[in-house]
């Protein structure tokens, strides 16, 4: 077993989050993806303070898959500057981490 990350991205809607989550799982890029929310985000965009309702997409994957996950989310995301960040998973239940490895392997051709 290798290193693992939790990738997170703020999403404009529950539907968009579910679409991206399903696509990541179907592509074997992530073992698990969760859509959380709604939440209220406050941020500065183009010089103005914005307050919007968003959802949070949480994705569990091996660290080696991060660049593929990032590219996949970026292609599907509806924001021009999407939040796509990765947080290391320092430890976890061994059987869960093994399951993550199994679920993120490319399917047999």
């Amino acid at each position: 077993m290798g290193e693992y990350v939790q990738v997170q991205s703020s999403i404009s809607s529950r539907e968009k989050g579910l679409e991206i989550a399903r696509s990541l799982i179907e592509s074997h890029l992530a073992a698990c993806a969760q859509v959380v929310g709604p939440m209220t985000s406050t941020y500065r965009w183009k010089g103005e303070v914005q307050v919007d309702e968003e959802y949070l997409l949480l994705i569990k994957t091996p660290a080696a898959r991060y660049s593929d996950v990032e590219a996949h989310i970026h292609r599907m995301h509806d924001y021009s500057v999407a939040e796509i960040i990765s947080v290391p998973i320092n430890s976890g239940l061994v059987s869960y981490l093994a399951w993550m490895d199994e679920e993120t392997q490319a399917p047999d051709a």
Side-chain angles (χ1 to χ4, degrees):
M1 289 184 288
E3 296 180 11
Y4 305 90
V5 294
Q6 177 172 278
V7 180
Q8 66 184 53
S9 183
S10 54
I11 304 294
S12 62
S13 69
R14 181 177 188 273
E15 294 74 22
K16 183 52 114 174
L18 292 171
E19 176 188 0
I20 295 171
R22 184 173 190 92
S23 181
L24 287 164
I25 300 303
E26 288 176 346
S27 299
H28 296 270
L29 292 174
C32 177
Q34 300 155 314
V35 178
V36 181
M39 63 184 185
T40 302
S41 294
T42 305
Y43 56 95
R44 185 179 309 279
W45 180 247
K46 296 187 177 180
E48 299 288 327
V49 174
Q50 305 289 323
V51 178
D52 288 310
E53 181 176 279
E54 294 184 301
Y55 291 77
L56 184 61
L57 180 58
L58 300 174
I59 301 121
K60 283 72 168 188
T61 192
R65 301 304 307 263
Y66 173 77
S67 61
D68 294 329
V69 168
E70 178 188 278
H72 193 92
I73 295 169
H74 188 61
R75 273 193 308 276
M76 295 187 72
H77 211 289
D78 53 3
Y79 293 171
S80 59
V81 179
E83 171 197 6
I84 306 172
I85 60 175
S86 168
V87 178
I89 296 173
N90 295 322
S91 60
L93 183 67
V94 171
S95 57
Y96 183 83
L97 300 177
W99 171 79
M100 284 177 57
D101 285 333
E102 291 170 20
E103 294 302 316
T104 56
Q105 297 300 313
D108 295 333

